[in-house]
Amino acid sequence: MASDQDFVFKVVLVGDGAVGKTSLRYRYMGEGFRSTYVMTIGADFAVVPVEVEYNNTLYKCKLQIWDLAGQPRFREVRSLFYQGAYGSLAVYDKTRRETYENLIEWIKEIEEKRGKIPLILIGNKKDLCEENPDIPCVTYDEGVELAKKLSERLGFPVHFYETSAKTGENVNTAFLELTKVMLDMTMKQQV
Ligand code: GDP
Ligand code: MG
């Protein structure tokens, strides 16, 4: 069965500079999608359609995926960025431990601006760790541990994926999982 109801979800990508947010967004968008630059807040967004099955029904969703161009320092600017956000991908770079440690600050900022919204944890640049065993990467287990802590903090499951924007590994899966969680939350709020 297909639903005639359509959903539009604003999704924000957060995490330190150069962890791969823009690369993940482009990888997920694929060719042919146009992104729109919002100069006043220094952000880019693009709309990507995605179909999700939920309770044996196919739902058409549109993800409006937002990404800060550079890292605007001003919190006032970032308030606009978070406005209306319904889900988030929180990204760290497996090869730079400080980006893993800093992620909690980004999550606190989301909570402060938007409250507890669906969130997926991403450890990106998996390919670099696999190719270079000498890099002291953040391990998979450490990612799982952080996801567990975040789940406890937020009161709902936070899924965790290790991705590569370079090879594309797990990129679609992560966005799809986020869409499912957002849809689930919306349905539960509607009852
Ligand atoms: P942002 O500042 O978080 O938006 O990060 P960018 O997407 O601009 O990426 C920063 C740098 O990391 C760029 O040089 C990317 O090519 C590189 N990069 C991003 N993701 C990956 C990945 O999964 N693997 C590898 N090897 N490089 C990546
Ligand atoms: Mg970027």
Side-chain angles (χ1 to χ4, degrees):
M1 204 170 65
S3 162
D4 358 332
Q5 212 178 346
D6 279 8
F7 294 94
V8 179
F9 296 121
K10 177 175 175 180
V11 170
V12 290
L13 290 169
V14 302
D16 287 354
V19 295
K21 301 180 295 297
T22 304
S23 306
L24 286 166
R25 189 167 68 94
Y26 277 120
R27 167 62 73 174
Y28 180 64
M29 282 161 56
E31 304 289 322
F33 286 102
R34 215 171 238 250
S35 94
T36 307
Y37 182 63
V38 187
M39 201 166 60
T40 42
I41 65 169
D44 265 328
F45 76 92
V47 180
V48 182
V50 47
E51 290 192 342
V52 189
E53 200 180 303
Y54 181 86
N55 279 349
N56 296 320
T57 307
L58 197 63
Y59 288 92
K60 286 200 177 91
C61 303
K62 286 198 178 85
L63 301 188
Q64 198 189 76
I65 309 170
W66 286 72
D67 170 27
L68 288 169
Q71 301 292 333
R73 280 181 297 123
F74 306 108
R75 288 191 149 231
E76 310 83 84
V77 169
R78 292 215 296 265
S79 290
L80 289 167
F81 173 71
Y82 292 114
Q83 209 169 73
Y86 203 76
S88 167
L89 288 188
V91 187
Y92 64 86
D93 174 347
K94 269 175 68 71
T95 69
R96 286 184 297 139
R97 182 163 294 273
E98 71 276 13
T99 67
Y100 169 83
E101 279 155 9
N102 288 341
L103 210 53
I104 190 67
E105 294 308 317
W106 286 99
I107 288 156
K108 282 182 187 160
E109 188 171 276
I110 299 175
E111 270 189 83
E112 193 184 302
K113 307 283 186 200
R114 276 295 292 157
K116 298 181 193 303
I117 58 171
L119 188 143
I120 302 277
L121 178 67
I122 302 280
N124 190 41
K125 306 198 187 178
K126 184 175 191 281
D127 62 289
L128 283 181
C129 299
E130 286 163 352
E131 272 170 29
N132 309 281
D134 296 342
I135 303 177
C137 287
V138 177
T139 64
Y140 179 78
D141 288 349
E142 287 172 307
V144 171
E145 196 183 309
L146 178 57
K148 207 173 137 210
K149 265 194 219 152
L150 294 174
S151 300
E152 281 160 15
R153 184 187 173 103
L154 297 171
F156 49 79
V158 171
H159 298 260
F160 165 62
Y161 296 99
E162 289 192 325
T163 60
S164 166
K166 189 177 174 192
T167 67
E169 189 175 350
N170 280 338
V171 176
N172 287 12
T173 313
F175 278 97
L176 189 62
E177 189 58 46
L178 177 62
T179 312
K180 284 184 184 163
V181 179
M182 292 188 298
L183 195 58
D184 186 53
M185 204 154 277
T186 308
M187 294 305 185
K188 285 181 178 149
Q189 280 166 2
Q190 281 184 355
V191 237

